[in-house]
Amino acid sequence: MKITSVKSHVLQYDLPGELGYSQQYYERRTAHLVEVNTDEGITGWGECFGPGNIAIANKAIVEKVIQPIILGSDPMDRDVLWHRVYNLTRDHGQKGMPLQALSGVDIALWDIAGKVAGLPLHKLIGGAHRTRIPVYGYGMMLKRESVEDHVARFRLEADQIMEMGFVGAKLKTGLGPKEDIELCRAVAETVEGRGRFMVDANHCYTTPDAFYVGRALDELGAYWFEEPVAPEDLDGYRELRAALKVNISGGEAEFNRWGWRQILENRGLDIAQPEVCALGGISEYLRVLALCHAHFTPVINHVWGSAIAVATNIQLLAAMPAMPGGLHPWEPMLEFDTTDNKFRDDLLQEPLDIQGQVKSSGGFVSIPGGPGHGVVPDAEFIRHYEIDL
């Protein structure tokens, strides 16, 4: 079997309303899918992390840089191809967009391997340690409105997320330390007794401001404080973890095993959040997961993007060993964006229907049993939303 083409599909549509987080506001939803074709008619699908113009730049890397390196190769040699691409591009970026682009290609190669074997990804990895995954919902995005309006809306959205059946709710912060505590208090009061609540700062604080917010989260009982400071500030992460009760989480902006080695040896995370569509794909994710568990750091994957990303993460969470083991082990959760996302809800020939599963099962989602990541995108849907570049 040989690879005959590597295609990039950047999809985009206008959201019903503007959304924001601590770094920016945005009006469009973007997804970047990768399609790897073979001479035996087997096609694999992957996804690259990165919105907007980042996805457009990554498309060029996928098609103009990575495709020539792997064209004509056996797609089953995915680890060989991963290292060939990495070694030939490492002088131009061991992190960032080259790794995001490689991630989508690698996920597609794993999808091909699953289809050749007739097995879902979790079976290729070693089997399912769990047959269903608890799901938490995030929403409560920032908008161009007053603090008072944010507080009222966050209360409503948190209540809606819990009513949907999710096991927890996560909010965004970034209005300012004092204002953010008001948002956190509103969500904590709404979720109390119904599940966990988590806070995602998207690295907007200095270390002193993160301490200010973090001490409030200690009192409010937050489960984790996500990306409180810049990803480069390893000392800040370590200081926060040592002094606060709330779990410090992060890592979505880190790449490959070498970057993760630095984070883990620094002992700055209570919970690791690797992003498989960014750090180097499934091949590298499995190495990072092993590093995390070798440092006794539990993992809850960062999940953002289309149904391809969601299905891939469900497979990986199913295959994740309990850490530590026991009769009632600590369990990972699936992250689910509750805002409008056609690329997750409508992309597939057979939708995952995460919301429906969560509502009917008390907060859980089942593992797709089809080969590869277990889902097939709709070609007509892709043609409709693909932007012309």
Side-chain angles (χ1 to χ4, degrees):
M1 185 187 303
K2 296 185 184 300
I3 296 170
T4 56
S5 68
V6 182
K7 299 179 181 178
S8 232
H9 305 277
V10 178
L11 316 182
Q12 197 169 85
Y13 73 93
D14 292 334
L15 288 165
E18 185 181 63
L19 297 174
Y21 60 103
S22 68
Q23 303 300 315
Q24 66 174 328
Y25 296 103
Y26 57 97
E27 299 176 331
R28 295 182 180 89
R29 174 79 67 184
T30 309
H32 179 189
L33 308 183
V34 174
E35 176 187 3
V36 177
N37 294 297
T38 69
D39 61 355
E40 294 188 11
I42 297 175
T43 297
W45 289 92
E47 181 164 356
C48 304
F49 181 77
N53 291 335
I54 302 298
I56 294 171
N58 281 338
K59 174 181 172 66
I61 298 174
V62 169
E63 295 186 343
K64 303 301 184 183
V65 178
I66 297 177
Q67 179 176 223
I69 295 174
I70 69 173
L71 208 59
S73 299
D74 186 340
M76 299 297 285
D77 293 340
R78 54 192 178 277
D79 190 62
V80 173
L81 299 181
W82 193 99
H83 285 89
R84 182 187 301 166
V85 172
Y86 185 81
N87 289 339
L88 289 174
T89 59
R90 77 191 316 164
D91 289 353
H92 314 286
Q94 302 96 37
K95 300 177 184 288
M97 297 194 311
L99 268 293
Q100 291 173 347
L102 176 55
S103 297
V105 175
D106 181 79
I107 293 168
L109 295 179
W110 274 86
D111 189 35
I112 288 172
K115 290 170 178 174
V116 169
L119 295 171
L121 291 181
H122 70 265
K123 286 289 188 183
L124 290 185
I125 294 168
H129 289 269
R130 53 196 61 80
T131 58
R132 60 181 194 162
I133 312 293
V135 189
Y136 77 88
Y138 92 75
M140 295 164 280
M141 309 288 285
L142 303 185
K143 295 190 176 182
R144 301 178 199 265
E145 61 189 17
S146 68
V147 176
E148 293 74 21
D149 287 343
H150 271 93
V151 169
R153 180 168 56 83
F154 277 28
R155 286 186 187 277
L156 176 62
E157 289 190 29
D159 182 64
Q160 290 172 337
I161 287 171
M162 300 315 295
E163 284 296 312
M164 289 175 176
F166 291 98
V167 300
K170 186 172 78 176
L171 69 142
K172 297 289 191 178
T173 60
L175 299 181
K178 291 183 179 180
E179 295 82 357
D180 289 342
I181 290 172
E182 291 187 52
L183 302 182
C184 295
R185 182 173 292 110
V187 175
E189 292 171 354
T190 304
V191 174
E192 185 176 8
R194 306 163 73 184
R196 292 166 165 165
F197 93 94
M198 293 77 76
V199 178
D200 186 358
N202 291 110
H203 53 77
C204 69
Y205 301 123
T206 62
T207 303
D209 283 347
F211 268 110
Y212 179 81
V213 175
R215 291 188 185 103
L217 297 182
D218 283 349
E219 299 303 315
L220 293 171
Y223 183 49
W224 75 59
F225 191 10
E226 183 172 337
E227 281 202 307
V229 294
E232 299 93 338
D233 186 10
L234 299 184
D235 290 340
Y237 274 93
R238 186 179 63 249
E239 292 163 7
L240 289 163
R241 185 189 181 206
L244 296 176
K245 291 185 293 184
V246 63
N247 289 311
I248 302 300
S249 68
E252 70 183 75
E254 191 51 84
F255 301 87
N256 68 48
R257 74 202 85 159
W258 300 285
W260 272 94
R261 182 184 66 179
Q262 289 182 297
I263 289 180
L264 294 164
E265 290 178 350
N266 191 61
R267 305 297 290 173
L269 292 178
D270 293 291
I271 297 172
Q273 295 172 304
E275 169 54 72
V276 67
C277 297
L279 62 76
I282 295 171
S283 296
E284 196 68 356
Y285 167 89
L286 293 174
R287 291 185 272 262
V288 168
L289 176 65
L291 274 177
C292 290
H293 283 190
H295 287 82
F296 295 96
T297 302
V299 173
I300 296 180
N301 297 354
H302 178 266
V303 184
W304 181 92
S306 82
I308 300 297
V310 174
T312 299
N313 276 281
I314 293 173
Q315 296 285 347
L316 295 176
L317 291 169
M320 183 188 298
M323 203 294 297
L327 290 174
H328 304 286
W330 181 94
E331 292 286 357
M333 297 184 287
L334 174 70
E335 179 177 14
F336 186 83
D337 176 2
T338 62
T339 64
D340 188 271
N341 190 342
K342 297 181 188 298
F343 301 144
R344 180 197 59 225
D345 299 337
D346 303 327
L347 170 69
L348 304 179
Q349 293 179 5
E350 295 184 19
L352 289 167
D353 188 24
I354 301 295
Q355 296 100 317
Q357 290 191 61
V358 164
K359 187 67 174 178
S360 64
S361 67
F364 293 83
V365 64
S366 61
I367 318 303
H373 41 54
V375 297
V376 180
D378 183 272
E380 182 56 37
F381 180 93
I382 291 174
R383 281 192 291 270
H384 180 76
Y385 285 100
E386 187 166 9
I387 60 177
D388 187 20
L389 297 173

